[in-house]
């Protein structure tokens, strides 16, 4: 069963606990107060944001915390194990939505998915863009050759700048509805993120004196 | 405001036994709503007392299917409350209210007999 | 707490359990602390000398006796072979994993009987698992709490280093179980410290918690806002702490002895003595610039001059590691050091002036130590125990400290849940077969940040059977990792393509088999029996005290309502109850209390009657009638509650007029 984001929320449901009628969108049963299982919503719909690349980070935090404060299993320590388990799955869904919306990479991937495109950053995907491929090899070699912190820092600065550039480009591409472009930028962003991870590993290795 | 006798008030009782506790209208309304949503007929709600908790005693509120032989009965605003005989001495003269706070709501007894509350508010010394 | 209406007999007991207050326990490598938060302010429980720290040291006597804490630590010098310390370092560890500890453990460690099982410790003639030793410490902490509260305690929030892996967390939970404690929540130590500052000191904003304990280092970044404590990033090293500083200094002393031509090689027991001397020296140098220490081993005495600068130069490389981990955590969360509004110090090792100086430089502000760094974690644990049992508004949102993944071909780790993911969390990944007709798949679950399996910690291997035979790469096996709010992992797997679902669901075991756990639980039943007896006795005494107080109050207020015979009988019974309550015969106390209640019933009934009469006498008739007569009230409409309120506020002891 698939459900369009935000849609169908007016249809009545039966509460799992008291079987009372409730709307599908209700987090709690208004008859018995029991927390309801999470609905199959994507991250935008779960936190109540429109499906746009630009998001208000502070507002994401605010809504996430507000919802966790009501749904987290720690709020249900006196309830039945079943209700606690439901609260746990609610908290898991919220955490997943939060991580997706906060991260430009995951957010962009979700937007492409919403538009019916397969994610360019899934498993076993190789870089198709020849220019990016060249750049990737070049930077990797530089990183491997770097023996002091300063050299690693320089590459790190470049990666951070590219990261920002990709995010800006993603915003522009989604804004203009250019999904192919967005897809390419997303691949590039994924690559720079992975490199940033390697840069950190290299820096730690040098700092710990492992060369 | 205070209900003086009017209309059919001429049917006076011989010697009215006063109620053991006072119930606010808000509390009564809430009890009524809860009784209605219980899903089966109830005699009323029984107030009991339990001798556990961090400083000795705590009240309990449970649906009652029938009146116990020694239960004290209180009628207020159209609802029936039963008081467990063990609880009578402690609860005498208290007021039962219903409060809604930001994060929780529930019933509360204001007890002039009460000397100390533990930090949690669930228990009391007499 | 507001009351709810429940089904008959279903009323939950106060504080969520009928067993009363839940305690907070900081189970440390070197010292442990227990705290309660029953009232407004949390309270750290101390011994008769005002000491909160219970050394995490256990002494095992030849007669089977167990001593925990200061007494055990003192025996370290006289009877080192009987004493175990720093057990936390071994929680969940297999023998093969102890190489990096490099002989730093001053007692004999043996591998478990089964391969990969948790190590065992040889002490006296006993062979103990770290879980059992930890349980002994927890039992002592529980007893301290019970003595202080005068009631039994069966629930606790126990803290663990944020960087503790799944095995060590499970081991800690099991130790608590052995000690008769249900763990309401495992809370990360730095998070608990943040909770203490947030709730007790009203701190808000971005906070860094720098926790350098005896055996572990943790750094956590949290955002504190309106009762929500959100961990943004965490990092650490589960094998780096103040103990390592001690070892560096001890090595220096021993090297100096060698240089002085002393040949005696210290035994395990003597090594413990050297470490004890070193600890004193280190503490001394936190406040003084220099000093001299004397060590006598095997009749050979050596003198060692040491100054603070030397100690600092010895430990600086270890500190640099903590600072580098701190910077990584900041990067993970996307913050610069200067954006941090407060740096909270946790752990005894943060007393070293060098630690405070280095942190001051990194963050550009003085670190906070308003709450004793040794006690702050236990305080936070107690506050969380209260929040969980009482359903307060406080909420902790924590993260996974380490990435969790699956081994794929070539020993490469495929991460399923990245570190610093908020918990609870469930994430799934699809894997496939690599051989035609493959019907089984071995899932090797690992935890850690490195790319290769060899460098990560293995949490367990599970086999998924019943995969339909397909060509290589055609099967779709969905592996789901779920981490609960305690940070504990459950793995499940399912084959998706054919609709034939071959599913497994397992929790990684950490080398303490179910059989073993069952045996240990059986052995701890002795304790459990004692616990149960003690608990029932405490309850009987509490009940007796309540009844006696009620009787005294009733006789004082309205003694005239009791006949002289009743009075004499009641007082006689009260005397007997008092005598019985001083003893340990629970049935006797309960029986007498019952008799007292029986005997006092007519008197109580007379009091109720009079109280009700008094209510009537004290008020105007119309008030009473308005209150009492349902039909009259109905006629008067619904606005009568104001009068009713006044009329039934009956004083406990009505006027005797």
């Amino acid at each position: 069963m698939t459900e369009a984001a935000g849609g169908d929320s007016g249809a009545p449901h039966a509460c799992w606990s008291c079987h009372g009628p409730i709307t599908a969108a209700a987090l709690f049963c208004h008859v018995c107060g029991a927390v309801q299982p999470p609905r199959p919503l994507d991250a935008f719909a779960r936190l109540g944001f429109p499906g746009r690349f630009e998001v208000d980070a502070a507002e994401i935090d605010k809504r996430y915390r507000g919802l966790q404060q009501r749904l987290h299993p720690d709020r249900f320590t006196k309830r039945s194990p079943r209700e606690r388990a439901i609260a746990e799955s609610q908290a898991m869904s919220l955490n997943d939505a939060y991580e997706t919306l906060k991260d430009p990479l995951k957010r962009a991937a979700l937007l492409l998915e919403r538009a019916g495109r397969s994610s360019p950053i899934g498993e076993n995907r190789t870089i198709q863009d020849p220019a990016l491929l060249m750049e990737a090899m070049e930077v990797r070699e530089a990183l491997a050759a770097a023996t002091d912190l300063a050299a690693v820092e320089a590459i790190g600065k470049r990666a951070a700048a590219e990261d920002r550039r990709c995010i800006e480009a993603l915003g522009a591409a989604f804004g203009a509805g250019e999904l192919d472009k967005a897809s390419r930028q997303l691949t590039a962003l994924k690559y720079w993120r992975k490199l940033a991870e390697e840069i950190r590993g290299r820096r730690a290795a040098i700092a710990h004196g492992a060369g | 405001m205070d209900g003086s006798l009017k209309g059919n008030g001429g049917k006076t009782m011989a010697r009215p036994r006063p109620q053991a506790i006072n119930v606010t209208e808000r509390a009564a309304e809430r009890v009524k709503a809860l009784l209605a949503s219980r899903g089966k007929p109830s005699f009323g709600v029984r107030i009991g007392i339990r001798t556990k908790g961090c400083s000795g005693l705590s009240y309990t509120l449970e649906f009652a299917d029938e009146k116990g032989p020694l239960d004290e009965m209180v009628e207020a605003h159209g609802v029936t409350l039963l008081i467990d005989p063990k609880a009578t001495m402690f609860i005498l003269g208290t007021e039962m209210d219903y409060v809604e706070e930001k994060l929780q709501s529930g019933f509360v007894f204001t007890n002039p007999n009460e000397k100390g509350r533990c930090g949690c508010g669930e228990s009391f010394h007499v | 707490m507001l009351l709810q209406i429940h089904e008959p007999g279903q009323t939950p007991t106060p504080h969520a359990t009928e067993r009363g207050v839940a305690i907070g326990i900081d189970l440390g490598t070197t010292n442990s602390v227990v705290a309660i938060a029953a009232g407004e302010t949390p309270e750290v429980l101390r011994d008769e000398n005002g000491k909160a720290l219970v050394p995490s040291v256990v002494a095992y006597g030849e007669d089977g006796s167990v001593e925990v804490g200061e007494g055990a630590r003192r025996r370290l010098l006289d009877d080192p072979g009987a004493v175990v310390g720093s057990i936390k370092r071994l929680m969940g560890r297999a023998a093969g994993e102890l190489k990096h500890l490099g002989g730093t453990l001053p007692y004999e460690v043996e591998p478990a009987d089964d391969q990969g099982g948790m190590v065992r410790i040889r002490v006296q003639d006993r062979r103990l698992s770290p879980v059992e030793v930890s349980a002994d410490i927890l039992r002592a902490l529980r007893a301290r709490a019970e003595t202080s509260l005068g009631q039994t305690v069966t629930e606790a929030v126990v803290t663990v280093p944020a960087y503790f892996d799944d095995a060590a967390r499970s081991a800690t939970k099991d130790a608590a179980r052995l000690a008769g404690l249900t763990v309401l929540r495992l809370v990360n130590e730095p998070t608990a410290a943040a909770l203490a500052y947030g709730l007790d000191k009203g701190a808000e904003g971005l906070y860094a918690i720098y926790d350098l304990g005896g055996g572990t280092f943790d750094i956590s970044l949290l955002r504190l806002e309106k009762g929500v404590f959100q961990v943004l990033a965490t990092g650490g090293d589960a094998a780096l702490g103040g103990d390592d500083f001690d070892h560096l200094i001890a090595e220096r002393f021993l090297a100096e002895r060698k240089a002085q031509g002393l040949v005696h090689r210290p035994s395990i027991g003597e090594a413990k003595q050297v470490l004890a001397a070193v600890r004193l020296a280190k503490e001394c140098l936190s406040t003084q610039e220099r000093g001299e220490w004397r060590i006598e081993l095997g009749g050979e005495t050596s003198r060692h001059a040491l100054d603070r600068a030397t100690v600092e130069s010895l430990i600086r490389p270890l500190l640099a590691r903590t600072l580098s981990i701190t910077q990584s955590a900041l990067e993970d969360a996307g913050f610069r050091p200067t954006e941090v509004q407060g740096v909270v110090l946790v752990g005894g090792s943060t007393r070293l002036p060098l630690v405070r100086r280095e942190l001051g430089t990194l963050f550009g502000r003085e670190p906070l130590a308003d709450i004793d760094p040794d006690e702050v974690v236990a305080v936070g644990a107690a506050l969380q125990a209260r929040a969980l049992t009482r359903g307060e508004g406080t909420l902790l949102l924590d993260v996974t400290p380490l990435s969790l993944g699956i081994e794929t071909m070539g020993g490469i780790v495929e991460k399923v849940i990245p570190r610093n993911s908020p918990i609870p969390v469930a994430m799934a990944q699809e894997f496939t077969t690599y051989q035609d007709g493959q019907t089984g798949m071995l899932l090797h679950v690992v935890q850690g940040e490195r790319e290769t399996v060899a460098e990560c910690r293995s949490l367990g291997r599970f086999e998924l059977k019943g995969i339909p035979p397909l060509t290589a790469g055609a099967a779709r096996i969905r592996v789901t990792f779920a981490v609960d709010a305690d940070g504990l992992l459950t793995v499940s797997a399912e084959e998706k393509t054919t609709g034939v679902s071959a599913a497994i669901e397992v929790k990684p075991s950490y080398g303490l088999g179910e059989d073993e756990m069952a045996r240990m639980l059986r052995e701890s039943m002795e304790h459990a029996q004692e616990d149960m007896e003690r608990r029932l006795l405490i309850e009987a005494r509490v009940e007796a005290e309540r009844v006696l107080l009620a009787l005294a109050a009733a006789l004082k207020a309205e003694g005239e309502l009791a006949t002289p015979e009743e009075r004499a009988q009641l007082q006689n019974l009260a005397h007997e109850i008092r005598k019985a309550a001083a003893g340990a015969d629970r049935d006797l106390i309960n029986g007498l209390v019952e008799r007292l209640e029986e005997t006092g019933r007519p008197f109580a009934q007379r009091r109720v009657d009079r109280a009700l009469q008094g209510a009537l006498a004290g008020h105007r008739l119309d008030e009473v009638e308005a209150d009492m007569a349902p039909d009259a009230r109905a006629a008067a409409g619904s606005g009568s509650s104001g009068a009713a309120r006044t009329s039934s506020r009956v004083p406990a002891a009505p006027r005797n007029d």
Side-chain angles (χ1 to χ4, degrees):
Chain A
M1 191 181 82
T2 53
E3 184 179 351
D8 199 31
S9 56
H13 254 233
C15 166
W16 62 269
S17 176
C18 71
H19 305 292
I22 46 167
T23 59
L27 293 170
F28 295 92
C29 172
H30 36 77
V31 181
C32 68
V35 66
Q36 301 298 307
R39 291 183 300 147
L41 300 175
D42 75 16
F44 288 106
R46 191 169 308 282
L47 291 173
F49 284 87
R52 282 204 298 268
F53 185 71
E54 258 70 39
V55 287
D56 178 346
E59 187 61 27
I60 295 176
D61 277 338
K62 203 176 128 199
R63 288 193 199 170
Y64 165 71
R65 289 151 155 262
L67 284 167
Q68 281 290 24
Q69 212 152 15
R70 299 174 62 198
L71 296 170
H72 193 277
D74 282 1
R75 282 276 165 279
F76 299 87
T77 46
K78 291 182 184 176
R79 301 305 192 95
S80 66
R82 171 132 187 235
E83 196 166 353
R84 282 204 303 275
I86 290 172
E88 183 168 69
S89 59
Q90 278 281 11
M92 283 174 170
S93 304
L94 271 179
N95 280 334
D96 183 47
Y98 179 65
E99 292 284 282
T100 305
L101 285 205
K102 258 194 348 180
D103 182 1
L105 193 95
K106 289 184 182 160
R107 204 163 65 226
L110 174 57
L111 282 173
L112 288 174
E113 198 183 298
R114 273 191 159 200
R117 298 192 167 226
S118 67
S119 166
I121 58 166
E123 293 149 55
N124 307 323
R125 298 239 170 201
T126 47
I127 301 178
Q128 305 280 342
D129 183 344
L132 181 62
L133 204 59
M134 283 296 287
E135 204 175 3
M137 286 169 66
E138 181 202 316
V139 179
R140 279 239 161 75
E141 273 167 28
L143 185 64
T147 49
D148 59 274
L149 280 177
V152 175
E153 270 334 313
I155 302 169
K157 279 220 172 71
R158 181 168 168 203
E162 289 289 345
D163 193 291
R164 280 194 299 277
R165 190 197 55 72
C166 284
I167 292 169
E168 271 165 37
L170 272 170
F174 279 117
E178 295 170 321
L179 296 183
D180 287 335
K181 206 168 171 184
S183 186
R184 279 200 305 279
Q185 291 300 337
L186 181 55
T187 311
L189 179 61
K190 166 97 171 168
Y191 160 69
W192 287 110
R193 287 274 161 103
K194 190 150 171 40
L195 190 77
E197 197 56 29
E198 284 166 31
I199 290 167
R200 283 180 44 171
R202 188 89 192 107
R203 193 169 50 202
I206 292 174
H208 292 180
Chain B
M1 253 305 282
D2 66 337
S4 52
L5 299 179
K6 284 181 204 161
N8 60 353
K11 281 195 273 169
T12 26
M13 332 109 257
R15 171 96 188 186
R17 189 172 156 85
Q19 304 246 28
I21 64 164
N22 182 35
V23 182
T24 67
E25 209 170 310
R26 202 165 26 178
E29 285 308 315
R30 185 63 193 163
V31 169
K32 226 183 273 179
L34 288 167
L35 284 169
S37 70
R38 190 188 174 205
K40 62 175 182 177
S42 316
F43 187 87
V45 168
R46 179 178 285 108
I47 305 168
I49 213 153
R50 184 175 36 198
T51 57
K52 277 169 189 163
C54 66
S55 80
L57 288 170
S58 61
Y59 291 126
T60 61
L61 283 178
E62 290 177 352
F63 292 116
D65 296 319
E66 55 183 358
K67 179 185 178 300
L70 296 170
D71 282 352
E72 185 79 25
M73 202 160 90
V74 173
E75 300 271 357
H77 308 290
V79 298
T80 304
L81 296 172
L82 298 171
I83 306 174
D84 188 283
K86 275 194 171 174
T88 322
M89 253 348 267
F90 297 104
I91 210 154
L92 205 61
T94 60
E95 178 180 85
M96 177 179 173
D97 195 6
Y98 179 76
V99 292
E100 283 185 14
E101 291 171 357
K102 222 180 347 185
L103 289 165
Q104 54 179 357
S105 54
F107 296 93
V108 61
F109 288 87
T110 330
N111 187 350
N113 296 343
E114 200 171 326
K115 288 199 190 98
R117 263 178 193 278
C118 78
C120 68
E122 266 189 46
S123 311
F124 54 90
H125 284 298
V126 175
Chain C
M1 178 69 190
L2 302 172
L3 295 164
Q4 311 299 330
I5 300 179
H6 300 274
E7 283 298 321
Q10 302 287 299
T11 304
T13 41
H15 303 126
T17 75
E18 59 180 56
R19 300 168 296 259
V21 184
I23 56 178
I25 292 179
D26 171 8
L27 184 62
T29 307
T30 325
N31 293 296
S32 296
V33 181
V34 55
I36 50 164
E40 272 305 300
T41 42
E43 188 193 345
V44 174
L45 302 182
R46 296 166 196 283
D47 66 9
E48 55 277 14
N49 302 317
K51 282 188 72 173
L53 294 187
V54 178
S56 302
V57 180
V58 189
Y60 293 90
E62 274 171 35
D63 54 351
S65 67
V66 177
E67 189 179 8
V68 176
E70 202 48 62
R73 195 163 83 158
R74 273 197 298 273
R75 277 167 65 182
L76 201 62
L77 297 179
D78 316 326
D79 191 9
V83 183
V84 180
S86 291
I87 196 65
K88 191 172 172 182
R89 293 191 149 198
L90 299 185
M91 290 296 269
R93 297 281 88 91
E97 296 174 281
L98 297 179
K99 289 186 198 103
H100 67 279
L101 289 174
T104 57
L105 295 164
Y107 40 77
E108 287 176 57
V109 171
E110 302 176 350
D113 299 330
D114 54 327
Q115 219 211 336
M118 210 187 310
V119 292
R120 295 294 187 273
I121 295 141
R122 173 69 65 184
V123 58
Q124 292 291 20
D125 278 331
R126 300 168 72 170
R127 201 160 171 272
L128 297 167
S129 87
V131 170
E132 289 167 288
V133 179
S134 295
D136 284 326
I137 299 169
L138 287 167
R139 239 178 242 122
L141 297 171
R142 180 180 165 208
R144 175 179 282 198
E146 290 184 339
T147 310
S148 160
L149 288 165
Q151 72 183 61
T152 53
V153 171
T154 58
E155 290 184 323
V157 165
V158 180
T159 60
V160 290
Y163 223 55
F164 245 24
D165 62 26
D166 195 78
R169 281 169 199 266
S170 302
T172 305
K173 230 176 159 172
D174 282 344
R177 204 165 118 210
L178 280 182
L181 286 168
T182 304
V183 176
L184 292 173
R185 171 74 76 241
L186 292 175
V187 173
N188 292 331
E189 285 157 14
T191 311
L195 197 70
Y197 271 88
L199 291 182
D200 228 27
K201 302 282 173 197
E204 293 227 321
L206 182 67
Y207 276 72
I209 319 293
Y210 180 96
D211 179 355
L212 190 58
T216 55
F217 165 67
D218 277 328
I219 181 79
S220 287
L221 280 171
L222 287 104
R223 188 159 39 200
L224 281 54
E225 212 172 81
K226 296 190 199 89
V228 180
F229 296 73
Q230 185 182 1
V231 180
L232 302 174
T234 173
D237 188 332
L240 171 63
D243 289 358
D244 295 301
F245 301 170
D246 298 347
H247 286 291
L248 285 174
I249 301 169
E251 276 163 28
R252 184 187 169 89
F253 282 180
L254 291 175
E256 281 175 354
R257 282 176 66 88
K258 216 170 175 185
Q260 287 165 25
L262 304 180
V263 289
H264 176 76
R265 274 194 62 194
S267 66
I268 284 180
E270 286 168 335
K272 286 183 194 176
Q273 295 179 28
V274 174
L275 280 173
V278 160
R279 217 158 277 146
L280 279 176
K282 190 179 72 173
E283 275 158 29
C284 190
L285 290 174
S286 283
T287 49
Q288 287 176 20
E289 282 299 326
R290 59 178 53 80
E292 195 183 69
W293 287 270
R294 201 172 56 90
I295 294 176
E296 192 190 319
L297 297 177
E300 300 169 344
T301 304
S302 55
R303 291 181 174 280
H304 306 268
L306 194 63
D307 58 28
R308 192 190 287 175
T310 308
V311 171
E312 291 184 348
S313 71
L314 281 174
I315 65 177
R316 194 168 264 121
L318 292 179
L319 271 189
R321 225 159 102 199
T322 69
L323 296 175
S324 145
I325 294 169
T326 301
Q327 265 167 326
S328 291
L330 280 163
E331 271 173 47
D332 270 344
F335 288 103
R336 287 188 303 277
T338 45
E339 289 176 272
V340 171
Q341 273 136 295
V343 183
V344 171
L345 295 181
V346 184
S349 302
T350 59
R351 289 222 165 74
L352 293 171
L354 179 65
V355 173
R356 298 187 180 204
R357 274 206 316 274
E358 299 265 329
L359 284 175
T361 310
L362 175 64
F363 287 101
R365 61 174 67 237
E366 278 301 303
L368 301 167
D370 309 17
I371 308 179
D372 188 326
D374 282 325
E375 299 174 6
V376 64
V377 169
V379 168
L383 288 168
Q384 177 65 359
R386 184 175 73 181
L388 286 176
T389 45
R390 248 189 259 169
E392 288 170 351
T394 311
L395 183 64
L396 283 188
L397 299 171
D398 223 316
V399 299
T400 50
L402 299 157
S403 301
L404 291 155
I406 288 273
E407 173 177 1
T408 58
M409 285 298 290
I412 299 298
V413 178
E414 181 68 37
K415 282 176 188 165
V416 180
I417 297 181
R419 70 162 185 282
N420 287 332
S421 299
I423 51 172
V425 61
M427 287 192 194
Q429 199 128 305
E430 274 183 14
F431 294 89
T432 190
T433 48
Y434 61 93
Q435 272 176 5
D436 289 342
Q438 189 180 336
T439 57
M441 183 182 259
L442 190 68
L443 299 170
H444 183 199
V445 181
V446 296
Q447 187 164 32
E449 303 315 315
R450 308 300 291 270
E451 298 285 326
T452 62
V453 168
E455 292 165 298
C456 287
R457 176 167 167 70
S458 167
L459 292 181
R461 289 165 210 267
F462 318 118
E463 196 178 1
L464 179 69
K465 288 181 187 143
I467 301 171
L470 298 167
T471 51
R476 281 170 53 214
I477 290 130
R478 194 176 166 79
V479 179
T480 306
F481 278 36
V483 176
D484 67 14
D486 283 329
L488 293 171
L489 173 70
T490 304
V491 179
S492 58
E494 196 183 358
E495 205 287 315
K496 303 280 281 185
T497 357
T498 54
V500 180
S501 80
I504 48 165
E505 184 166 301
V506 264
K507 286 187 182 295
S509 77
Y510 56 92
L512 202 60
E514 273 303 310
D515 295 354
E516 263 183 303
M517 192 62 202
R519 175 186 59 78
M520 290 174 192
L521 272 174
R522 228 176 13 253
E523 283 173 10
S524 74
M525 281 302 278
E526 273 173 56
H527 298 284
Q529 201 64 43
E530 286 166 26
D531 288 348
M532 179 59 86
E533 277 303 316
R534 186 171 47 176
R535 177 178 141 195
L536 290 172
L537 179 61
I538 289 176
E539 277 173 7
R541 281 177 181 159
V542 167
E543 174 67 7
E545 196 187 336
R546 177 191 74 79
V547 168
L548 290 177
L549 279 173
L551 177 69
L555 286 175
K556 185 162 178 248
E558 300 171 285
E560 70 282 0
L561 289 181
T563 65
E565 300 83 65
E566 276 174 351
R567 219 186 153 90
Q569 272 180 323
L570 290 170
Q571 273 163 345
N572 199 18
L573 275 168
H575 179 68
E576 278 186 54
I577 290 175
R578 238 171 259 123
K579 251 186 2 203
D585 187 343
R586 166 167 57 82
D587 292 335
L588 179 65
I589 303 173
N590 287 340
L592 285 168
V593 165
E594 222 163 90
R595 264 178 62 202
L596 181 79
E597 282 187 336
E598 195 68 38
T599 314
R601 196 158 288 150
F603 169 50
Q605 192 54 48
R606 264 170 254 141
R607 290 192 69 212
V608 172
D609 285 345
R610 184 202 273 190
L612 294 171
Q613 304 286 337
L616 187 65
H619 297 274
R620 296 203 321 274
L621 186 67
D622 59 346
E623 275 182 358
V624 173
E625 288 186 335
D627 196 23
M628 293 308 118
D631 47 356
R633 191 179 53 241
S638 58
S640 63
S641 61
R645 194 180 290 255
T646 346
S647 66
S648 62
R649 277 219 178 247
V650 182
R655 287 159 291 266
N656 281 328
D657 49 3

